[in-house]
Amino acid sequence: MPNSATANILTILESNFSGVVEEWLGTQVQEGVKRSDLFSDAESRAQNAELLKGFAKGVRSGVIDEEFNLEDSAWEDLRAVLIDVTKERVNRGVTPTEMAAFVLALKSPLFKRLETMLSEEPKTLIREVLMVTRLVDAFAIYTNEIFTAER
């Protein structure tokens, strides 16, 4: 059962999964980190969707009282997809900076939706933005470790 630290994040991920995937892709385009020369739109969309599924599963069962560890079994699906996506991106020539920016671009669609959802609850908004930041940053750091090992 989701705890209060992640309930709104899960609501967003479960009620607007496709919208988050598309906006995440759009943020990558805006930030210049979507490598259209290396990945088709379909490949990019599929990678985003698989990563977001693993992320949602980890958030659902791997965050307890605002604490989490990406090494826990709850995050196994995310780790597996991250390994596959990172290896594929390394093999196609993505830089470490592009890889980190690819993952970190997930913050924007989540922040925007939290802002809309919690506009009347600023303390809750701040707490959840911090939670998303911690989660996505951990996700990016893990990706960087994989990237470095692949190189």
Side-chain angles (χ1 to χ4, degrees):
M1 178 171 189
N3 63 53
S4 62
T6 58
N8 291 312
I9 298 165
L10 282 171
T11 296
I12 290 166
L13 293 172
E14 292 169 355
S15 68
N16 199 358
F17 185 87
S18 296
V20 173
V21 167
E22 290 304 315
E23 192 172 334
W24 185 12
L25 196 57
T27 301
Q28 292 165 28
V29 170
Q30 290 172 348
E31 294 180 2
V33 296
K34 182 180 176 295
R35 294 294 307 265
S36 298
D37 57 327
L38 302 177
F39 296 91
S40 70
D41 284 346
E43 287 175 308
S44 294
R45 191 169 283 105
Q47 286 181 348
N48 284 13
E50 286 303 309
L51 286 167
L52 199 58
K53 281 181 198 171
F55 182 73
K57 184 176 180 184
V59 169
R60 185 177 305 105
S61 56
V63 179
I64 298 167
D65 297 327
E66 297 188 23
E67 296 303 320
F68 64 94
N69 179 344
L70 286 187
E71 296 300 323
D72 289 345
S73 62
W75 298 94
E76 186 175 352
D77 289 357
L78 178 63
R79 289 193 313 269
V81 175
L82 276 173
I83 289 167
D84 291 344
V85 168
T86 303
K87 286 180 178 182
E88 183 65 29
R89 287 179 171 262
V90 167
N91 289 336
R92 294 199 194 184
V94 171
T95 69
T97 299
E98 290 168 332
M99 190 66 204
F102 159 72
V103 172
L104 294 170
L106 175 57
K107 289 180 185 180
S108 180
L110 295 177
F111 288 169
K112 287 177 185 176
R113 284 167 174 79
L114 284 170
E115 180 181 28
T116 299
M117 179 184 277
L118 300 170
S119 64
E120 301 295 319
E121 301 174 54
K123 288 182 181 180
T124 304
L125 174 61
I126 290 169
R127 188 184 80 236
E128 297 225 10
V129 164
L130 289 172
M131 190 77 232
V132 166
T133 299
R134 289 179 53 224
L135 287 163
V136 175
D137 287 356
F139 178 175
I141 290 166
Y142 188 84
T143 302
N144 192 44
E145 291 172 6
I146 298 164
F147 194 99
T148 302
E150 275 303 297
R151 283 264 168 120

